[in-house]
Amino acid sequence: MKLALLQLNARLGSPETNGRVIEAAYADAVNQGADLVLAPELAICGYLPEDRLWEPGLRARMETESRRLAALAGPVPLLFGTATPAPSGRLWNELWWAERGQIRTRVRKRLLPAYDVFDESRYFEPDPHPQPLVDFGGERIGLSICEDLWADATLAHNPVRYDFDPIAKLKAEGATLLLNASASPGYLGSWMPEGKTAPWAVPTKIAQRRALILGLSQKHGVPLAYADRCGVESWLVFDGGSGLARPDGSWQGASPFHEGLVMVDTQATSGLGVEVNEARWLRAGLKRALRDNLAKQGLEAVVVGLSGGIDSAVVASVAVEALGADKVLGVALPTRFSSEVSLRFAEEQARELGLPFLKVDAGAPYAGFAASLKAAFPDRVFSITDENLQSRTRGALLMGLTSEPAIHARLGTSKVCVLNTGNKSEAATGYFTLYGDGIGAFGILGDCLKARVRALAGVLPGIPEGVLTRPPTAELRPDQSDEASLLPYRQLDAILAAAIEAQRPEEGLADDLALLLDGDDLASARAALPRILGLLRRTEFKRRQLPFGIKVSPKAFGWGRRIPLTAE
């Protein structure tokens, strides 16, 4: 049987737009000889419109578009995810099988995830009842939806254990082919230093999916096809991963972030492909994240503060790849502590990338703030207040540029926002200034430890060599150094990767670090553990006020990590 898996980029809350895309993809799949076409979970409304799902108008539009699509289906079945009202007032998360203009059958999602970024029981009812098999093409086909696939505790990398396994039940009922419609966000594994391994390290989501799908196919002795969506919604990256596993261990599927048809055949065999390269996955994922977020929010151009450091260099390079150089404004904001090297690197990068560049004096407004404080407190001396004022001055100027008519003319649009340039290592320790370098519409590096920023820089164009090798500094006081204020990043990132991304118990972290660091690095990191963990706990209130970041790790700050501000 030839299957067309629709790896599509949905528009949240737009059933009509999604319906037209599915309709066109279905016609293309039929023309290519597909025997069956499978679209992702909630393909009609996108995953997940969240509280918009309570709107009666959206529910009615979903019903109308779902029935329109079903009526268009010919002898080649079209399977697509949608949702319909449940008696409780919530919804059923359903997969419709449409064939010859009719809805042949519907199945409902049986397991609802409620961990990390998921909170599906807020919107949906689980269906504990057996789901019907469908006889088609000489097969008895078992249908399932996303989380239903993840109940096998011997194969799934899951923080919860379910009471039953929907896939095992489908096999027990006689299924000879399994189909799963998903909307599964992707991410890299917990960060590990090069050459290091740990038994507790969290694998990439692609590796988890591949092991799970192949494992289920081999365990139950039937082919398993998996259709996942792609694209980015706010902070969630959907990297696809659609494909077909066979009991012989073969895999047919698409590369990450491929948008369109994935044609597979239950009788064909194929190799497993190569492991995902972290830096290339990040490059593709963050580029898609920026492009999708701006397009879906009605924005067209960005302003990036170019400090001459690696974080802003990476953000600018990704922005140019995503939007084009003419839609990215690089801005240098020197104060009296800014070095000539920083300005030179910022200008050099702007030239390399071909983006418009502007130098705006941040020293003058800071001097005004300092003079006002001096008038109120004649005996005051330079302090952390002055460092924060410089950062906030830069932030205010960057925000001001987004509404400046001259900038609109230069970028060719008035739909402009600031990109935050902070990274996860800084966010974890509170090493940023609220309303200063913490500003922006969203932060594409917000879930990237400094080590991942460096890896990403190695595969991006337009980053001066000197930026890669210079010590990181905010340049807010003489001879300032990030690593002197915090900890060398190789040590800091090892602590944060174990504590946050792998969620290792605090009492065992000192032992865990022995798998990530050696010698003086290990001793220094262990000595710094209480201070770093204290910073992590005490700065939650600052992180809550950061722009949302793009989730690229197993555990990101934000929706998937809900820590009270007042917890000890």
Side-chain angles (χ1 to χ4, degrees):
M1 188 182 298
K2 294 180 180 179
L3 308 177
L5 311 177
L6 306 188
Q7 192 160 287
L8 304 178
N9 186 355
R11 293 296 294 258
L12 290 188
S14 184
E16 300 80 10
T17 301
N18 297 329
R20 289 192 296 270
V21 172
I22 295 169
E23 180 182 356
Y26 172 70
D28 189 13
V30 171
N31 288 336
Q32 292 191 38
D35 298 310
L36 182 146
V37 181
L38 177 63
E41 174 186 20
L42 294 177
I44 294 296
C45 63
Y47 188 95
L48 187 64
E50 297 181 329
D51 280 11
R52 289 209 59 201
L53 288 171
W54 296 110
E55 298 175 8
L58 179 58
R59 292 186 175 199
R61 290 164 56 208
M62 289 164 56
E63 176 79 11
T64 298
E65 189 59 28
S66 297
R67 292 194 176 276
R68 187 190 75 83
L69 268 186
L72 290 172
V76 175
L78 170 62
L79 284 66
F80 59 89
T82 187
T84 61
S88 65
R90 294 186 180 90
L91 295 162
W92 298 114
N93 185 336
E94 295 186 336
L95 182 62
W96 288 17
W97 180 304
E99 186 181 340
R100 301 183 188 277
Q102 302 292 322
I103 303 168
R104 179 171 175 180
T105 193
R106 308 181 189 193
V107 298
R108 292 169 176 164
K109 194 170 186 176
R110 307 182 73 184
L111 303 178
L112 302 181
Y115 55 85
D116 194 45
V117 298
F118 303 109
D119 190 13
E120 290 193 10
S121 57
R122 180 179 176 90
Y123 308 107
F124 302 109
E125 287 288 343
D127 189 351
H129 301 101
Q131 302 297 300
L133 301 180
V134 181
D135 293 315
F136 179 79
E139 303 282 0
R140 301 204 72 204
I141 300 177
L143 307 176
S144 62
I145 302 173
C146 205
E147 190 74 5
D148 295 345
L149 204 65
W150 294 80
D152 190 323
T154 66
L155 296 171
H157 196 282
N158 235 4
V160 299
R161 295 292 179 262
Y162 293 107
D163 294 334
F164 68 99
D165 182 351
I167 302 302
K169 288 186 176 294
L170 290 171
K171 171 58 179 175
E173 291 161 7
T176 60
L177 172 64
L178 297 169
L179 305 181
N180 182 271
S182 279
S184 176
Y187 51 73
L188 297 173
S190 54
W191 178 78
M192 297 287 292
E194 187 174 356
K196 300 291 186 178
T197 60
W200 41 260
V202 181
T204 68
K205 191 64 173 291
I206 287 178
Q208 291 181 43
R209 290 194 204 106
R210 189 69 58 82
L212 173 68
I213 295 168
L214 282 166
L216 288 171
S217 177
Q218 293 175 307
K219 181 174 183 176
H220 297 300
V222 297
L224 194 164
Y226 171 86
D228 190 16
R229 66 155 295 179
C230 67
V232 176
E233 305 295 353
S234 301
W235 55 85
L236 294 181
V237 175
F238 296 89
D239 56 356
S242 304
L244 173 75
R246 286 169 32 96
D248 62 4
S250 63
W251 171 262
Q252 305 163 52
S255 58
F257 303 105
H258 167 79
E259 186 173 351
L261 300 184
V262 181
M263 300 295 294
V264 297
D265 191 324
T266 59
Q267 298 302 312
T269 60
S270 178
L272 291 178
V274 296
E275 182 60 32
V276 173
N277 176 277
E278 278 203 6
R280 293 192 184 95
W281 187 98
L282 267 182
R283 181 180 184 178
L286 295 181
K287 180 169 68 173
R288 175 61 70 101
L290 180 54
R291 184 181 294 156
D292 274 12
N293 268 292
L294 263 63
K296 294 177 180 182
Q297 296 180 52
L299 297 166
E300 296 176 346
V302 296
V303 175
V304 180
L306 289 179
S307 67
I310 192 169
D311 297 321
S312 64
V314 165
V315 170
S317 186
V318 171
V320 167
E321 288 201 331
L323 308 175
D326 60 328
K327 298 300 181 186
V328 183
L329 175 67
V331 184
L333 298 146
T335 67
R336 64 190 176 102
F337 298 115
S338 300
S339 67
E340 288 299 321
V341 171
S342 295
L343 289 174
R344 176 164 55 82
F345 283 156
E347 292 178 356
E348 182 180 340
Q349 185 180 22
R351 284 195 305 272
E352 287 289 325
L353 293 174
L355 55 84
F357 178 75
L358 190 64
K359 184 167 73 172
V360 179
D361 180 17
Y366 157 68
F369 283 124
S372 294
L373 288 177
K374 187 72 171 178
F377 308 104
D379 297 330
R380 77 176 300 272
V381 295
F382 186 93
S383 69
I384 187 71
T385 302
D386 296 85
E387 295 182 39
N388 289 335
L389 281 174
Q390 289 173 79
S391 183
R392 288 173 180 142
T393 296
R394 289 170 174 164
L397 288 169
L398 288 173
M399 292 299 294
L401 290 174
T402 64
S403 56
E404 185 64 26
I407 299 303
H408 298 166
R410 184 174 291 196
L411 295 175
T413 179
S414 61
K415 300 172 182 178
V416 183
C417 69
V418 174
L419 291 186
N420 183 269
T421 59
N423 62 61
K424 188 176 190 175
S425 304
E426 296 167 345
T429 53
Y431 194 67
F432 61 92
T433 303
L434 280 175
Y435 328 120
D437 56 340
I439 57 97
F442 58 95
I444 63 174
L445 300 182
D447 194 31
C448 293
L449 295 171
K450 192 75 168 187
R452 281 197 162 134
V453 178
R454 290 193 175 280
L456 182 56
V459 299
L460 286 169
I463 299 179
E465 181 65 29
V467 169
L468 302 175
T469 57
R470 70 181 305 209
T473 172
E475 292 190 324
L476 298 173
R477 65 172 184 265
D479 303 318
Q480 187 175 27
S481 163
D482 288 4
E483 296 193 341
S485 300
L486 288 170
L487 196 66
Y489 277 113
R490 62 185 178 277
Q491 300 171 24
L492 177 62
D493 286 352
I495 294 172
L496 298 177
I500 301 171
E501 296 185 349
Q503 300 184 77
R504 298 295 293 164
E506 186 172 321
E507 57 271 19
L509 278 175
D511 293 333
D512 292 335
L513 289 175
L515 298 175
L516 309 181
L517 299 169
D518 301 303
D520 291 343
D521 278 343
L522 176 59
S524 178
R526 283 174 166 171
L529 257 179
R531 179 170 66 91
I532 299 303
L533 295 178
L535 287 172
L536 178 63
R537 284 191 293 269
R538 291 192 300 272
T539 52
E540 185 65 29
F541 79 98
K542 295 182 72 174
R543 284 188 291 276
R544 290 286 185 95
Q545 299 179 71
L546 279 173
F548 74 87
I550 308 302
K551 176 178 165 62
V552 296
S553 78
K555 185 61 66 174
F557 296 128
W559 188 250
R561 184 180 180 273
R562 306 180 198 183
I563 305 296
L565 302 185
T566 51
E568 294 186 1

